Structure formats: structure tokens, C-alpha cells
Amino acid sequence: MSKPAEIVCFGEMLIDFVPDSAGVSLAESTGFLKAPGGAPANVACAITKLEGTSAFIGKVGDDEFGRMLVDILKSNGVNSEGVLFDKHARTALAFVTLKKNGEREFMFYRNPSADMLLKDSELNLGLIKQAKIFHYGSISLITEPVRSAHMVAMKAAKDAGVLLSYDPNVRLPLWPSPEAAREGIKSIWNEADFIKVSDDEVNFLTQKDADKEETIMSLWHDRLKLLVVTDGEKGCRYFTKSFKGKVSGFSVKTVDTTGAGDAFVGSLLVSIAKDPSIFQDEEKLKKALKFSNACGAISTTQKGAIPALPSTADAQGLIAGSKAY
């Protein structure tokens, strides 16, 4: 038995195939690097890299890729007691196109993949109930049975007084339509205590200008303790019940933005788990967000999500200006 995890991440873990050269289409690419991915799993690894404790709950295929992913969780110190292997479905794959500026496009192979087949009866509810934070995305809301498992897990966490953390991570190709994506993502919006959303996702969800504060406030709800909008290299904006503001980002040489949001969220969740008073203390929150901005920035300087995750020392080095990335 591993030590109890303060932060439990729920959802998909998959293999990203990243072109070995940037700025080419999938068809033009001559080779791909195999990288572990899946936002909730990336967050779990980001947490342990920063000396936090995490667990991942989800399902992978009983295949070489699935076993490789669980080995990666273990080697990163993530509790994998809640991971199941499906004998009948494959581990999900995603082919990622890197554009010249490091931004990406996705093509998914999952029909159905193992992560979609997690049933509520297979959930390790014990892991969830003893956590401080339960973190999830929206990909697990797209199809049954994993959608029902997601809802049961969320309710168990809420009933046990666990903080609910939501990063929608919009992946349009996986939803039947943009309207279905908006509806599905918003269906659990009002349950969360903390939401992190990117400026692009704000544009998509509201169909309004993410630069305008009234647009962001349309996403606020009374249960929220903190809403954070990430603005890429510009940094982030934060909104709580009693204060709001922005924290500037760091300029780095970007190679691959995959997993930058996950590095940011993992870092912020470690800060929240350590000191929940951060929701009421603006100075503490700003300091934590600056650290999260540094983590997000560093993660873009290397290919792949998990291999690029920074350590505490890496982030402190960037903040202190002693490290150039």
C-alpha cells in the first residue's frame, strides 16, 4: 500500500504520438515520438514532481501500452491502486500535430478505448474519500459507462467533504458536436469548488470575448472558491468571492505546449492542498499562481507532457531569473 494521496485525479491516460519535427502535418511527418498523456494523468505526475502526493483513477487496456502507462505512474510516484486493465479494449492513442509555434491539433484512436469503459462498480471510492482534492476533466463525460462512474466519484468526493477541482480540457474531436461539448462540459460546472479554464476555452464555452471580464463572470457560480483563466504566455487571471486580478507569465522558448495547463494545475493543486487559506489570502494566491505560471512555462520547453514536467527547483530557478529556458 502506498501512502494516502492528498490529490486524486480521475479520467483518461493514453499514449500521445508526437511528430519528431514541428510544423508538419500528420501525413507529412516521417516519425513520431511516443509520449504518455491524458490530462488527469499528467496532473497526477505534475503533483508528485513537485513533492505532492497523488493517485490516478482510470482504466487502460491490458496491452503493452497500458502496462507502460501504469509503470510510468509508478515510476513518478503516483498511487495506481485505482487503475484497472480492460481485457477487451485497447489503450487510447492520440496523434498530436505540432505547429511551428508549438500549438497542437489532435487525432484520436478510441472506439471505444479502455478509459471509456470504466464502470462505477469498479471505482476505488476509498482513495477518493480520503483525499483533500478530487480533480477531473470533461473527456470522461462524453460516453457511458465512464460518465456514470465520473458522476458517482464526484458525488462520493463531495459527500466526504473533498474539494472538487475541474479543468474541462476541451477536445472537440471527441465530442459528437460543438454544442454537445458545450452542454456536456457545463453539465457539471456548478459542482466544482475550483475551475481552471483557458482563454480559448472561455471563448468556446461562452461564444464571447475572453478578454472581457463580464464574459468570464458569466462562468462564475456561487459554489466556486476560485476561477482561474490561463492566458498562455501572458499568465493568468484569477477570480474569488472577494478579490480578482492577474499574474503575468514567463517568456520561454516554446517547443510543445502539450501538458502546459496540466503542469499549471498540478502546481496550483499542490499549493491548495498545502494551505487551503489561499482562497481567502490574495498574496498567498498570487505567489502560488506565479509558481504555477513558471511550471506551465517550463513544461513547454520540451516535447511531451510528463517528461517536460518541472521540479520545484526548476520553477524557483525561472522565477528567480537564474535559469534561462
Side-chain angles (χ1 to χ4, degrees):
M1 288 282 287
S2 339
K3 58 183 170 178
E6 290 197 316
I7 305 159
V8 174
C9 302
F10 172 89
E12 70 285 351
M13 187 171 195
L14 48 103
I15 306 279
D16 285 335
F17 284 95
V18 187
D20 54 11
S21 50
V24 294
S25 69
L26 290 179
E28 291 162 347
S29 181
T30 53
F32 296 89
L33 300 166
K34 185 181 69 188
N42 295 343
V43 171
C45 292
I47 289 162
T48 56
K49 200 88 187 269
L50 298 166
E51 289 108 62
T53 58
S54 69
F56 176 72
I57 291 179
K59 210 175 200 186
V60 293
D62 190 6
D63 51 39
E64 276 203 48
F65 285 148
R67 287 186 286 275
M68 175 194 124
L69 291 175
V70 172
D71 286 345
I72 285 164
L73 289 175
K74 287 178 176 164
S75 67
N76 278 277
V78 176
N79 177 319
S80 61
E81 289 164 30
V83 182
L84 290 105
F85 292 95
D86 194 298
K87 289 206 180 315
H88 308 291
R90 295 269 187 235
T91 301
L93 309 178
F95 285 83
V96 187
T97 313
L98 291 182
K99 298 183 193 165
K100 290 251 187 305
N101 62 356
E103 285 297 334
R104 65 263 140 99
E105 285 170 354
F106 295 89
M107 182 166 83
F108 293 92
Y109 284 71
R110 50 198 304 270
N111 63 332
S113 52
D115 59 286
M116 299 157 76
L117 300 176
L118 180 70
K119 299 198 271 290
D120 56 9
S121 59
E122 297 172 317
L123 287 168
N124 186 328
L125 293 175
L127 264 183
I128 295 168
K129 289 173 183 171
Q130 54 76 49
K132 285 185 178 176
I133 301 170
F134 181 60
H135 175 74
Y136 46 86
S138 69
I139 290 171
S140 41
L141 298 172
I142 302 173
T143 50
E144 291 291 0
V146 70
R147 181 186 163 84
S148 291
H150 184 138
M151 303 309 276
V152 168
M154 221 165 62
K155 185 176 185 324
K158 192 175 176 178
D159 290 350
V162 180
L163 187 98
L164 300 185
S165 163
Y166 185 24
D167 178 356
N169 257 308
V170 177
R171 296 286 178 267
L172 274 185
L174 295 179
W175 292 87
S177 67
E179 295 69 38
R182 263 188 287 272
E183 198 180 313
I185 287 163
K186 286 181 174 172
S187 70
I188 59 165
W189 197 262
N190 293 350
E191 302 292 323
D193 298 293
F194 161 61
I195 293 174
K196 172 254 160 191
V197 67
S198 73
D199 50 355
D200 290 344
E201 289 166 340
V202 171
N203 284 337
F204 170 71
L205 290 169
T206 62
Q207 298 179 280
K208 295 194 174 96
D209 183 359
D211 290 337
K212 295 199 168 121
E213 193 174 302
E214 69 216 43
T215 303
I216 290 155
M217 290 321 290
S218 72
L219 293 172
W220 178 266
H221 65 81
D222 284 343
R223 198 188 142 81
L224 269 179
K225 293 182 166 73
L226 174 65
L227 172 65
V228 174
V229 178
T230 53
D231 292 307
E233 60 188 22
K234 289 188 295 201
C236 64
R237 288 170 279 168
Y238 59 88
F239 301 83
T240 73
K241 285 186 172 72
S242 33
F243 50 78
K244 61 185 185 207
K246 61 181 187 184
V247 180
S248 54
F250 295 87
S251 186
V252 294
K253 192 176 184 315
T254 295
V255 176
D256 174 11
T257 59
T258 309
D262 304 325
F264 178 95
V265 170
S267 162
L268 192 49
L269 294 181
V270 168
S271 297
I272 293 168
K274 247 186 225 153
D275 185 1
S277 75
I278 200 168
F279 295 126
Q280 289 86 36
D281 186 324
E282 190 166 11
E283 284 317 302
K284 277 183 192 169
L285 179 62
K286 282 169 88 164
K287 195 176 171 193
L289 289 170
K290 188 174 190 182
F291 188 78
S292 292
N293 282 344
C295 289
I298 293 165
S299 77
T300 69
T301 60
Q302 207 182 316
K303 278 201 187 110
I306 293 172
L309 292 168
S311 66
T312 306
D314 292 332
Q316 285 166 343
L318 180 58
I319 292 167
S322 58
K323 284 191 180 177
Y325 284 90

